Amino acid sequence: MANVAVIGAQWGDEGKGKIVDWLSARADVVVRFQGGHNAGHTLVIDGTTYKLSLLPSGIVRKGKLSVLGNGVVIDPWALTEEIEKIKQLGVGVTPENLVIAENASLILSVHRELDHMRETSNSGTKLGTTRRGIGPAYEDKVGRRAIRVADLKNPAGLKAKIERLLSHHNALRRGMGVDEVDGAQLESELTAIAPKILPFAGPVWRRLEEAKKAGQRVLFEGAQGAMLDIDHGTYPYVTSSNTVAGQAAAGSGCGPHDIGFVLGIVKAYTTRVGEGPFPTELHDEVGERIGKIGAEFGTVTGRKRRCGWFDAVLVRQTVATGGIDGIALTKLDVLDGFDEIKVCVGYKVGDKTYDYLPVDSNDQAQITPVYETHEGWRGTTHGARSWADLPATAIKYIRRIEELIGAPVALLSTSPRREDTILVRDPFVR
């Protein structure tokens, strides 16, 4: 058996929630390894809808261990609120089924405020963040001034660490003409929330090592998508962490060889939330139609997603940078009934042609997509559970995508229901 890492292979919102839920039913441990509560997964199980932001998808299944790894930035107030919400849906969350890395960094009120101030400022670049403090928290982590989960265990030493943190933040706030943060107030907030978080804290790396020795199957659950990766994405319109599969090891405390099969989640078209380049974006009735049929609104923010045709250039690149072994192709049914379907197979920037996404943001903004046009299908793919249920032209479209991106389809999703999934290759089997 192999462990599986699931990552988004576009700009996020690819339908990871359903696929991770489908896989988590067969896993023993489910690990979040990066991001924060800016992520969003919607799960529908036995008619009940669960909307998760920070908690791993395995939390809704009995007998599974859910883990928040050290690569995650944790807002303790958002986490406790999310725990209470799913408790109301009958899901118990205890230290027996949830472990939080004691070396994970915390998102504080000062991070949320800074994020909001930057995004609403009249100067500077608008990055389209969720304003939840994720970016500033990662900045403090790299700057070695973050407050971590383990710091909550020692109230006596917390004051000095808060002073070190605020020596940076209050200087920023003075420069922005904003009142400084009261260190005593922040200390009081952390002291109050600590008892709700500390029972879950522990050495995640050790729990994963124990799972490895016991032969348990581990599912590593990524957030956002590979094109939002801080290094490999459309910088600066990216998230503040690495979203590619290599982060699954570093962000959870295990070795790279412990990551077995890498499954990339890919929509049959393309969407993006927030600012930044989007070569295949459609500003016409076709884009509106895709968005309406696909219910393209963010799980966390409710923001309308930008929609466009499938970009094979972009996904071929994320297959390489993400180490993707196979893809789960989702939302194929959204394309039912289109007379023709386009696929981007190249980029033009002025008189230059590219078969990859140029790294310069100026070049990215000037891209003209080169399209192939494919015949659509009149039959329906909605709810299909075998290849025999698919129209021939839909199969032809799938095969062309495989050829263009250089990766096979391992799973095919044909509706939001977890049962409407065609298994081509079991990711857990080597």
Side-chain angles (χ1 to χ4, degrees):
M1 306 304 291
N3 296 330
V4 177
V6 175
I7 64 170
Q10 293 160 310
W11 276 294
D13 308 308
E14 300 95 348
K16 291 185 291 295
K18 170 189 168 175
I19 302 300
V20 169
D21 173 54
W22 193 90
L23 292 168
S24 68
R26 307 174 63 239
D28 301 298
V29 182
V30 183
V31 184
R32 274 284 309 275
F33 59 85
Q34 49 80 217
H37 63 305
N38 55 339
H41 291 334
T42 300
L43 313 178
V44 182
I45 302 174
D46 297 328
T48 301
T49 299
Y50 304 92
K51 292 189 176 183
L52 305 178
S53 295
L54 190 56
L55 291 170
S57 298
I59 199 70
V60 301
R61 297 195 170 276
K62 293 182 179 180
K64 313 293 181 183
L65 175 64
S66 290
V67 174
L68 290 176
N70 56 276
V72 179
V73 284
I74 298 170
D75 183 323
W77 297 275
L79 177 59
T80 54
E81 182 179 345
E82 190 172 335
I83 288 173
E84 288 303 315
K85 283 183 178 179
I86 67 165
K87 279 184 177 180
Q88 294 173 12
L89 295 174
V91 178
V93 181
T94 70
E96 282 66 49
N97 66 350
L98 176 65
V99 180
I100 301 173
E102 56 191 0
N103 55 335
S105 298
L106 297 178
I107 299 174
L108 310 175
S109 55
V110 66
H111 297 130
R112 294 191 298 271
E113 291 168 7
L114 179 58
D115 209 356
H116 180 78
M117 286 187 290
R118 285 173 172 171
E119 282 295 302
T120 56
S121 171
N122 291 325
S123 61
T125 300
K126 302 292 191 301
L127 299 178
T129 77
T130 56
R131 306 184 186 186
R132 282 164 167 75
I134 279 77
Y138 274 117
E139 289 177 37
D140 283 343
K141 176 180 179 178
V142 175
R144 293 166 292 190
R145 54 181 171 265
I147 305 297
R148 305 201 295 179
V149 172
D151 294 331
L152 300 180
K153 297 179 181 179
N154 182 14
L158 189 58
K159 182 177 181 179
K161 292 181 179 180
I162 290 175
E163 288 177 352
R164 181 180 62 187
L165 174 74
L166 293 186
S167 67
H168 171 79
H169 278 274
N170 280 337
L172 289 177
R173 295 169 75 96
R174 287 194 297 270
M176 299 176 80
V178 178
D179 291 342
E180 295 185 13
V181 174
D182 183 344
Q185 176 62 33
L186 181 55
E187 183 179 2
S188 176
E189 292 174 4
L190 288 170
T191 302
I193 199 69
K196 298 181 180 180
I197 299 298
L198 288 177
F200 300 101
V204 158
W205 64 268
R206 176 176 286 177
R207 295 296 295 269
L208 293 179
E209 178 68 10
E210 291 170 353
K212 176 182 176 181
K213 290 179 178 179
Q216 294 183 320
R217 287 180 289 194
V218 180
L219 179 63
F220 297 91
E221 176 185 357
Q224 289 92 36
M227 289 313 298
L228 292 175
D229 186 277
I230 186 67
D231 291 303
H232 302 289
T234 48
Y235 190 90
Y237 303 97
V238 292
T239 194
S240 299
S241 61
N242 288 111
T243 58
V244 294
Q247 179 64 16
S252 57
C254 64
H257 291 295
D258 293 333
I259 313 300
F261 189 94
V262 179
L263 183 68
I265 314 300
V266 180
K267 267 180 184 165
Y269 48 97
T270 311
T271 64
R272 179 167 195 169
V273 170
E275 306 298 324
F278 185 171
T280 65
E281 183 174 10
L282 296 169
H283 299 281
D284 56 14
E285 61 183 18
V286 175
E288 288 293 324
R289 178 180 173 185
I290 291 174
K292 184 176 181 180
I293 297 172
E296 295 297 350
F297 295 90
T299 298
V300 172
T301 63
R303 289 185 293 179
K304 184 179 179 181
R305 297 173 186 144
R306 301 153 64 189
C307 298
W309 294 120
F310 185 83
D311 190 337
V313 180
L314 182 145
V315 177
R316 181 171 60 244
Q317 185 167 328
T318 60
V319 165
T321 59
I324 292 170
D325 297 301
I327 68 167
L329 189 64
T330 66
K331 291 201 167 185
L332 181 68
D333 56 305
V334 173
L335 299 180
D336 288 353
F338 280 83
D339 292 329
E340 62 179 32
I341 299 169
K342 293 184 179 182
V343 176
C344 178
V345 295
Y347 298 145
K348 291 203 71 175
V349 179
D351 58 355
K352 290 185 178 180
T353 300
Y354 290 87
D355 61 357
Y356 64 95
L357 186 69
V359 72
D360 185 84
S361 58
N362 292 321
D363 288 339
Q364 291 173 0
Q366 298 176 50
I367 286 174
T368 298
V370 178
Y371 286 117
E372 281 184 356
T373 300
H374 295 260
E375 180 185 356
W377 51 88
R378 286 298 173 188
T380 181
T381 65
H382 186 81
R385 298 184 184 181
S386 72
W387 286 106
D389 297 332
L390 298 174
T393 45
I395 295 175
K396 185 178 179 180
Y397 178 71
I398 295 167
R399 294 306 186 203
R400 182 56 177 156
I401 285 177
E402 290 179 316
E403 182 181 13
L404 288 169
I405 68 174
V409 170
L411 292 166
L412 181 66
S413 172
T414 58
S415 93
R417 295 189 299 272
R418 68 184 305 273
E419 297 82 5
D420 295 337
T421 305
I422 300 173
L423 175 64
V424 182
R425 175 184 171 180
D426 189 340
F428 281 115
V429 178
R430 292 187 187 276

